[in-house]
């Protein structure tokens, strides 16, 4: 198995779901794991956001985590042979 995962950007859209399905097929072909990544983009601010700052709304972060967890669980059910992880950053 490859140590290098196939990364999939996830935003909850149908395009992201299609990308995840493609990634699982490709991962099977390459014997590689899949990593689902949701990137939270802060709204543009007048002042820079300091590195290490807390999320502006913990509820929004939890909703993103829940969405990624649900997506990863469904993808694992569809393709249990593919190692899959998810992360919100």
């Amino acid at each position: 198995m490859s140590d290098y995962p196939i990364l999939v950007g996830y935003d909850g859209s149908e395009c992201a779901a299609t990308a995840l399905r493609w990634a699982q097929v490709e991962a099977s072909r390459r014997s590689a794991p899949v990593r689902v990544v949701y990137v939270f983009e802060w709204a543009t601010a007048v002042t820079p956001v300091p590195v290490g700052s807390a999320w502006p709304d913990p509820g929004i972060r939890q909703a993103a985590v829940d969405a990624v967890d649900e997506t990863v669980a469904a993808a694992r059910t569809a393709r249990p042979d593919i190692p899959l992880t998810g992360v919100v950053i």
Side-chain angles (χ1 to χ4, degrees):
M1 173 161 296
S2 171
D3 291 334
Y4 299 104
I6 297 173
L7 297 178
V8 179
Y10 180 77
D11 63 4
S13 68
E14 185 56 38
C15 289
T18 299
L20 177 54
R21 288 189 297 271
W22 171 87
Q24 288 181 288
V25 170
E26 188 65 15
S28 178
R29 190 177 74 77
R30 294 185 188 187
S31 296
V34 174
R35 182 133 173 117
V36 176
V37 180
Y38 178 99
V39 178
F40 179 81
E41 184 176 354
W42 290 31
T44 304
V46 176
T47 58
V49 177
V51 173
S53 295
W55 282 64
D57 181 345
I60 293 173
R61 183 181 194 290
Q62 190 56 53
V65 169
D66 292 345
V68 169
D69 288 349
E70 289 173 16
T71 298
V72 166
R76 281 184 183 143
T77 299
R79 295 294 305 262
D81 57 315
I82 306 297
L84 188 85
T85 58
V87 64
V88 174
I89 55 173

